[in-house]
């Protein structure tokens, strides 16, 4: 769907970004996270296509993995800034979970 946004900042380093969160049903019908990803929005006018590598957080132990699968409460980020900044993510265990392709029409 079309998005119309205006940005203003004194320091444009690292923005604008679009953060994508994909959710879907699991085996039991619970709505769980399927992946997170972020990409910088291009500045130049024209049509741009970007492919976002998606990732999903993982539990650290086998017991936590089984418990989260059984209860339907999988690990997920509570703040989307974690995905956009990347700061502090080096201590987070994640698994690659496919790709999302986005097309931008910049005027």
């Amino acid at each position: 769907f079309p998005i119309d946004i205006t940005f203003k900042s004194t320091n444009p380093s690292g923005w604008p970004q679009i953060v994508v969160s994909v959710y879907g049903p699991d085996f039991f019908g619970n709505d769980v996270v399927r992946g997170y990803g972020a990409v910088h929005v291009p500045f130049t006018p024209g049509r741009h296509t970007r492919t976002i590598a998606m990732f999903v957080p993982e539990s650290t132990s086998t017991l936590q993995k089984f418990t989260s699968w059984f209860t339907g409460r999988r690990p997920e980020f509570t703040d989307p800034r974690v995905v956009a900044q990347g700061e502090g993510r080096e201590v987070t265990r994640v698994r690659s979970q496919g790709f999302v392709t986005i097309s931008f029409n910049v005027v």
Side-chain angles (χ1 to χ4, degrees):
F1 55 89
I3 300 173
D4 184 18
I5 301 172
T6 304
F7 297 101
K8 181 180 178 185
S9 176
T10 57
N11 183 7
S13 177
W15 72 269
Q17 288 188 49
I18 187 165
V19 175
V20 179
S21 301
V22 179
Y23 290 84
D26 65 356
F27 181 74
F28 299 112
N30 299 320
D31 202 25
V32 296
V33 67
R34 296 293 183 182
Y36 294 107
V39 68
H40 290 277
V41 177
F43 282 116
T44 57
R47 183 172 176 84
H48 305 276
T49 303
R50 298 288 187 261
T51 302
I52 304 172
M54 303 298 285
F55 59 91
V56 64
E58 264 193 347
S59 300
T60 54
S61 72
T62 308
L63 179 62
Q64 286 177 337
K65 287 180 187 179
F66 177 74
T67 305
S68 66
W69 176 83
F70 187 71
T71 60
R73 306 263 316 153
R74 307 254 172 97
E76 58 183 82
F77 296 127
T78 56
D79 189 3
R81 287 182 287 188
V82 173
V83 178
Q85 291 176 350
E87 188 175 298
R89 275 194 358 220
E90 65 272 1
V91 295
T92 306
R93 182 175 290 188
V94 295
R95 177 175 33 98
S96 179
Q97 194 68 16
F99 298 92
V100 170
T101 302
I102 296 180
S103 295
F104 297 100
N105 290 312
V106 180
V107 179

